[in-house]
Amino acid sequence: MSDSVNQPRTFEVLTAAPVRARRKPRDWPNEEKERLIAETLLPGANVSAIARAEGLDPSQLYGWRRKALSSGLVAPLTETAKKEVKFARVEPVASSAVEIVLGDVVVRVGGDIESDHLMKILRAVRKA
């Protein structure tokens, strides 16, 4: 058996760079958040591209957007929002028939129609 205690040994000294301190989260002003969220709600907007252009992680911007939409304070633009709102003029007429105007469609029904049947007709008109 050999005596390993008295044998020459070599040691390697390891050095390490100090661990970087965690980056402090950036405090975004509400106006800046609102601007970015509004930009993401435009038709055809790319949320990830907008986030990266501002130096943000896309998940952060998606989170802000999700919070804003769930709060009900903002809503995305839809095609129906762009359409012109039309109002129907109602004139009282001495008749048992009723005219219901839904957009460009006029539904004329007699006074003796059952309410269930009328609801089915109106749903069909709305879907068309």
Side-chain angles (χ1 to χ4, degrees), residues 18-54:
V19 177
R20 288 188 316 166
R22 186 170 179 209
R23 185 175 61 136
K24 183 181 175 189
R26 182 174 169 184
D27 188 28
W28 289 83
N30 287 339
E31 296 79 25
E32 190 71 13
K33 287 181 185 179
E34 290 167 5
R35 181 186 65 79
L36 292 171
I37 292 168
E39 202 173 323
T40 65
L41 295 174
L42 294 173
N46 183 335
V47 178
S48 295
I50 294 168
R52 287 189 188 100
E54 295 292 330

Side-chain angles (χ1 to χ4, degrees), residues 76-90:
L77 292 176
T78 60
E79 291 299 319
T80 56
K82 294 179 183 176
K83 291 183 180 177
E84 181 181 333
V85 177
K86 296 181 181 178
F87 294 95
R89 188 176 65 174
V90 179

Side-chain angles (χ1 to χ4, degrees), residues 46-125:
N46 183 335
V47 178
S48 295
I50 294 168
R52 287 189 188 100
E54 295 292 330
L56 257 174
D57 191 68
S59 64
Q60 181 69 54
L61 187 52
Y62 274 111
W64 292 346
R65 183 180 168 180
R66 191 173 34 256
K67 270 185 170 178
L69 290 171
S70 67
S71 71
L73 295 176
V74 294
L77 292 176
T78 60
E79 291 299 319
T80 56
K82 294 179 183 176
K83 291 183 180 177
E84 181 181 333
V85 177
K86 296 181 181 178
F87 294 95
R89 188 176 65 174
V90 179
E91 295 179 10
V93 179
S95 171
S96 61
V98 176
E99 288 186 4
I100 302 171
V101 180
L102 296 171
D104 296 346
V105 178
V106 177
V107 179
R108 291 184 184 95
V109 293
D112 58 345
I113 190 168
E114 294 180 20
S115 60
D116 293 336
H117 188 65
L118 179 59
M119 286 190 334
K120 289 178 185 176
I121 293 170
L122 293 176
R123 285 188 188 126
V125 169

